[in-house]
């Protein structure tokens, strides 16, 4: 915790906001697929999830552009206010005896939309307020706070979802209201937008056109999409594999089947992050971000492939340990590396473009699930291995290009 108290107050507050946001998501959002399926069926649930993904993508692009145009704090304020409105709609839609799943979806759609405003502008704020020397530590603490809050939130959600869903929504609203007060009265702005005349004003399209012209960053984003696809196997092929192939085992009288093994895998990952993140960060503190990206993603890939190629408890448990060690190394490294590659004048737009990462990775991961009946676990594992090799090559290419660009800039001066 010494690292946390040594940070600027603004960064400490930002990490607190991340903790509250991840807690609110952990309590309710992890179970909303079940909620929609119970009330409206699988077909409409699928359409809801697709709509939510699209809204998240659009909100990330808008938030990145506006964070550069108006500043970080206004965008975070708008996003948190939208979340308050959405949580009120969701709460009123689930008054006992008067449940409306359609307006509930509208409420949660607004919460997702506003949440991505906060995430995109908040990530830009972290980059503004940190230095290259301590940025990896800041991202490490940010990731640690996310996992700790998810453990607490998920436990509370699992306990209260069936018997007291309305109470969960009250907790969600209160948490978001507290977050709004923190943003309004404790957070300070970290970025002063450039004042442009009418001729110089750019649209959201021209802003992202400029970012897309940065080939080095685009190469890095493609590498990041591929490694994110590996992470997203948590929600895609891993559940399918465990559900279909895991051999049920009884430990201390407790039966563990596929779905429970997935829960154990997830809890193991979160607990390891919370307990080991600081220690691993000290071990790897002197590593370059490129080295952290490469070695971390290799361990993640190895762990996930090992889980796919086995069907019994102990090997899959070991696979979870290998994977999580990789993620602990990879996460702060990839975030710090991405920040290093950004143009300081357009950090918001660069972060907005990062919103492409999740939906693209999700499409690839979902495609592997669709193909899995034909290519089996072996084929999915080979696909992950190919993706990892491509990601490493692209990451190294992006870093080398960036170093060459900096060298050329110094020579021109």
């Amino acid at each position: 915790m010494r690292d946390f108290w040594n940070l600027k107050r603004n960064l400490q507050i930002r990490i607190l906001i991340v903790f509250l946001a991840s807690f609110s998501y952990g309590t309710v959002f992890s179970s909303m697929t079940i909620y929609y399926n119970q009330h409206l069926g699988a077909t409409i649930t699928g359409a809801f999830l697709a709509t939510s993904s699209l809204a998240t993508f659009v909100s990330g692009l808008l938030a990145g552009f506006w964070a550069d145009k108006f500043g970080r704090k206004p965008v975070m304020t708008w996003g948190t206010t939208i979340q308050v409105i959405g949580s009120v709609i969701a709460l009123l839609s689930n008054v006992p005896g008067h449940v409306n799943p359609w307006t509930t979806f509208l409420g949660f759609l607004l919460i997702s939309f506003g949440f991505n405003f906060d995430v995109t502008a908040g990530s830009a704020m972290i980059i503004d307020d940190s230095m290259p020397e301590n940025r990896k530590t800041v991202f490490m603490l940010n990731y640690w706070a996310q996992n700790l809050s998810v453990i607490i939130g998920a436990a509370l959600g699992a306990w209260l979802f069936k018997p007291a869903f309305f109470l969960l929504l009250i907790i969600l609203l209160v948490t978001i209201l507290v977050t709004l007060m923190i943003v309004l009265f404790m957070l300070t702005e970290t970025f002063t937008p450039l004042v442009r005349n009418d001729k110089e004003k750019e649209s959201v399209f021209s802003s992202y056109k400029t970012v897309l012209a940065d080939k080095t960053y685009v190469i890095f984003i493609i590498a990041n999409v591929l490694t994110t696809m590996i992470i997203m196997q948590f929600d895609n092929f891993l559940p399918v594999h465990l559900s279909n192939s895991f051999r049920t085992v009884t430990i201390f009288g407790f039966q563990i089947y596929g779905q429970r093994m997935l829960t154990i895998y997830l809890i193991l990952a979160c607990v390891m992050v919370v307990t080991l993140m600081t220690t691993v960060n000290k071990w790897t503190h002197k590593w370059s971000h490129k080295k952290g990206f490469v070695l971390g993603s290799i361990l993640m890939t190895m762990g996930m492939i090992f889980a796919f190629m086995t069907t019994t408890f102990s090997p899959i448990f070991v696979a979870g340990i290998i994977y999580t060690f990789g993620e602990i190394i990879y996460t702060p490294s990839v975030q710090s590396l991405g920040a290093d590659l950004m143009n300081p004048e357009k950090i918001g737009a660069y972060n907005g473009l990062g919103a492409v990462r999740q939906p693209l990775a999700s499409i690839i991961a979902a495609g592997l699930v669709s193909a899995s009946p034909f290519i089996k676990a072996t084929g999915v594992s080979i696909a992950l291995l190919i993706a990892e090799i491509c990601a490493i090559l692209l990451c190294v290419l992006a870093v080398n290009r960036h170093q060459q660009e900096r060298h050329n800039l110094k020579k021109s001066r």
Side-chain angles (χ1 to χ4, degrees):
M1 290 301 292
R2 185 185 302 171
D3 290 331
F4 176 80
W5 295 116
N6 288 337
L7 297 177
K8 291 181 180 179
R9 183 171 177 271
N10 222 41
L11 289 171
Q12 294 173 353
I13 294 169
R14 175 58 199 162
I15 291 172
L16 173 61
I17 292 171
V18 167
F19 178 88
L20 292 172
S22 299
F23 170 78
S24 62
Y25 260 60
T27 55
V28 185
F29 273 79
S30 59
S31 302
M32 287 312 295
T33 301
I34 298 172
Y35 173 94
Y36 296 136
N37 191 51
Q38 287 175 345
H39 286 90
L40 299 169
T43 302
I44 294 176
T45 298
F48 277 4
L49 295 177
T51 303
S52 182
S53 296
L54 178 62
T56 300
F57 171 67
V58 172
S59 64
L61 293 178
L62 292 174
F65 172 68
W66 285 335
D68 286 337
K69 186 174 183 179
F70 301 110
R72 319 311 189 200
K73 183 173 178 176
V75 176
M76 293 177 68
T77 303
W78 302 339
T80 314
T81 303
I82 292 170
Q83 289 181 72
V84 170
I85 296 169
S87 60
V88 169
I89 293 173
L91 183 68
L92 295 178
S93 300
N94 287 275
V95 174
H98 301 279
V99 175
N100 187 328
W102 295 93
T103 52
T104 298
F105 171 70
L106 174 62
F108 275 93
L109 185 66
L110 288 173
I111 296 172
S112 296
F113 197 89
F115 178 78
N116 224 37
F117 269 45
D118 178 74
V119 169
T120 305
S123 296
M125 181 174 279
I126 286 177
I127 296 170
D128 293 337
D129 234 0
S130 61
M131 302 295 291
E133 297 78 24
N134 74 340
R135 195 167 285 150
K136 187 176 178 181
T137 299
V138 176
F139 282 123
M140 178 271 294
L141 290 169
N142 199 57
Y143 185 60
W144 181 88
Q146 287 178 22
N147 279 268
L148 177 61
S149 61
V150 165
I151 293 174
I152 300 170
L156 185 64
W159 186 265
L160 295 177
F161 180 76
K162 273 193 175 181
F165 182 64
F166 189 71
L167 176 59
L168 276 182
L169 293 177
I170 293 174
I171 294 172
L172 176 67
L173 175 59
V174 171
T175 304
I176 295 174
L177 282 170
V178 170
T179 303
L180 180 59
M181 294 301 104
I182 292 173
V183 171
L184 286 173
F185 300 112
M186 297 178 67
L187 207 61
T188 56
E189 182 59 81
T190 59
F191 178 75
T192 303
L194 294 174
V195 178
R196 302 175 184 270
N197 59 45
D198 291 337
K199 291 183 179 180
E200 291 178 327
K201 287 182 179 178
E202 60 181 355
S203 67
V204 63
F205 299 105
S206 59
S207 176
Y208 281 105
K209 185 178 179 181
T210 303
V211 178
L212 287 169
D214 185 345
K215 293 181 180 179
T216 298
Y217 190 74
V218 171
I219 291 170
F220 166 76
I221 284 292
I222 296 171
N224 202 354
V225 167
L226 294 173
T227 49
T228 301
M229 182 273 292
I230 295 168
I231 294 171
M232 294 189 77
Q233 297 306 316
F234 248 127
D235 302 316
N236 287 271
F237 184 67
L238 183 61
V240 173
H241 173 66
L242 293 177
S243 178
N244 293 340
S245 305
F246 182 75
R247 299 178 189 175
T248 301
V249 63
T250 301
I251 299 178
F252 301 118
F254 185 73
Q255 191 178 61
I256 300 174
Y257 44 84
Q259 287 82 357
R260 285 181 174 171
M261 188 66 226
L262 180 65
T263 302
I264 291 170
Y265 199 107
L266 178 60
I267 292 172
L268 170 69
C270 289
V271 170
M272 282 184 64
V273 170
V274 170
T275 56
L276 297 177
M277 191 82 187
T278 303
T279 302
V280 174
N281 185 62
K282 288 179 181 177
W283 293 345
T284 62
H285 182 68
K286 294 183 179 180
W287 289 11
S288 68
H289 301 325
K290 180 176 73 173
K291 183 177 180 180
F293 180 103
V294 171
L295 293 183
S297 61
I298 287 175
L299 287 174
M300 288 194 310
T301 306
M302 288 173 55
M304 198 60 76
I305 290 176
F306 190 24
F308 291 169
M309 300 306 293
T310 53
T311 58
T312 53
F313 180 86
S314 296
I316 292 177
F317 193 86
V318 172
I321 293 174
I322 295 171
Y323 170 87
T324 306
F325 264 115
E327 190 173 5
I328 290 172
I329 296 169
Y330 165 85
T331 302
S333 296
V334 70
Q335 291 176 323
S336 300
L337 179 57
D340 289 348
L341 298 178
M342 293 178 185
N343 180 342
E345 294 183 2
K346 286 187 173 291
I347 288 175
Y350 274 78
N351 273 300
L353 183 64
V356 171
R357 186 183 73 252
Q358 291 282 358
L360 288 182
S362 180
I363 291 170
I364 300 171
L368 287 176
V369 172
S370 298
S372 62
F374 309 101
I375 64 175
K376 309 299 180 184
T378 302
V380 175
S381 299
I382 292 172
L384 261 61
L385 181 61
I386 293 171
E388 171 62 12
I389 293 171
C390 292
I392 290 173
L393 293 175
L394 289 170
C395 174
V396 171
L397 175 61
V399 172
N400 290 345
R401 283 176 60 96
H402 179 64
Q403 291 174 343
Q404 186 62 47
E405 288 164 1
R406 291 178 62 182
H407 176 69
N408 293 340
L409 185 62
K410 286 181 179 178
K411 283 182 67 176
S412 65
R413 290 176 179 174

